[in-house]
Amino acid sequence: MKRYGIFGGTFNPPHYGHLLAAQTALEHCSLDRILLIPNRIPPHKQLEEPGGNPEHRYNMILLAARGNPDFQVLRTELDDERTSFSLYTVEKLKTEFPGGSFSLITGADSLLKSSWYRLDDLLGLLENFYIVTRPGYDTGELAEHIESLILKNADRFKTVPIPGFDISSTGIRERVKNGRSIRYMVPEAVEKYIHENELYL
Ligand code: ATP
Ligand code: MG
């Protein structure tokens, strides 16, 4: 049975923090493949155009994942009219990848800040829920949160230590806007794409 790790995000733009987290989770959790799934624009959160445009974000994550045979980019959420709830995504993946087992991979910040739509049902479809560490988000606080959030399912939540790389898409957009370099923060092809398409100015 193939074990898939679902790594979702806005990827606006994708950066080495995402790639390093995904690659580390792949190895640490002995997964067969990472599925990189860009969110559609959520109805309540307007992403600024042109950078936030779903097709630009899709193109950039494709460029970022290029050359890594263990990464696969999917349009599962981009092509779904519904709100991008993980539950819907996993339901669709179950039919697209029959016999596969699925785990969610998410950064510590997402777990601490988000609530999850029908978490019990979601956990019913998942093997594990992996939480990757992120600089600035305390693992002690995380452990407490996990316990309070889902006492009965706490054993399904596993923390994955990632080499701390304190960068964010927000910081990268800010740098582009201010004419500063984003070299070594995003893959070269992504950097080139941002400049050629005049994103984040
Ligand atoms: P933004 O600043 O626009 O929110 P971001 O850098 O947080 O962007 P997202 O697309 O929101 O990127 O994140 C996708 C996933 O990657 C989330 O689960 C997030 O926690 C995780 N992630 C992002 N950056 C890092 C990082 N530097 N280290 C570890 N995990 C990260
Ligand atoms: Mg974020």
Side-chain angles (χ1 to χ4, degrees), residues 51-187:
N53 179 283
E55 295 310 317
H56 277 317
R57 294 186 291 107
Y58 176 67
N59 291 337
M60 288 191 283
I61 188 69
L62 274 181
L63 289 172
R66 200 172 56 186
N68 187 335
D70 299 321
F71 287 180
Q72 183 176 359
V73 178
L74 295 178
R75 295 187 57 94
T76 315
E77 293 185 2
L78 290 180
D79 293 341
D80 197 320
E81 291 294 302
R82 297 172 295 177
T83 307
S84 304
F85 291 130
S86 302
L87 179 72
Y88 298 157
T89 307
V90 183
E91 279 173 348
K92 284 178 103 180
L93 293 176
K94 287 247 171 201
T95 58
E96 262 179 68
F97 298 84
S101 103
F102 298 90
S103 294
L104 220 56
I105 304 165
T106 176
D109 58 308
S110 304
L111 187 78
L112 290 170
K113 287 188 300 202
S114 313
S115 58
W116 299 84
Y117 176 68
R118 289 167 54 193
L119 182 62
D120 279 344
D121 293 332
L122 174 62
L123 283 169
L125 299 181
L126 292 178
E127 182 186 349
N128 287 309
F129 200 131
Y130 294 114
I131 317 298
V132 299
T133 55
R134 185 170 184 177
Y137 298 90
D138 178 59
T139 42
E141 189 192 340
L142 196 62
E144 263 175 45
H145 183 76
I146 291 172
E147 266 180 50
S148 65
L149 186 70
I150 21 81
L151 257 183
K152 60 182 166 147
N153 285 309
D155 61 313
R156 306 275 297 288
F157 288 75
K158 301 185 193 305
T159 303
V160 181
I162 305 293
F165 194 19
D166 194 4
I167 60 172
S168 68
S169 301
T170 303
I172 288 165
R173 293 194 299 273
E174 199 65 22
R175 290 183 74 88
V176 174
K177 198 171 182 172
N178 294 321
R180 297 172 72 190
S181 168
I182 54 168
R183 182 177 253 185
Y184 309 129
M185 294 185 170
V186 302

Side-chain angles (χ1 to χ4, degrees), residues 8-36:
T10 311
F11 304 126
N12 183 31
H15 53 66
Y16 278 129
H18 297 129
L19 299 174
L20 182 62
Q23 182 67 26
T24 308
L26 176 84
E27 291 171 19
H28 184 94
C29 311
S30 307
L31 300 170
D32 293 300
R33 195 183 297 171
I34 298 290
L35 304 175
L36 295 162

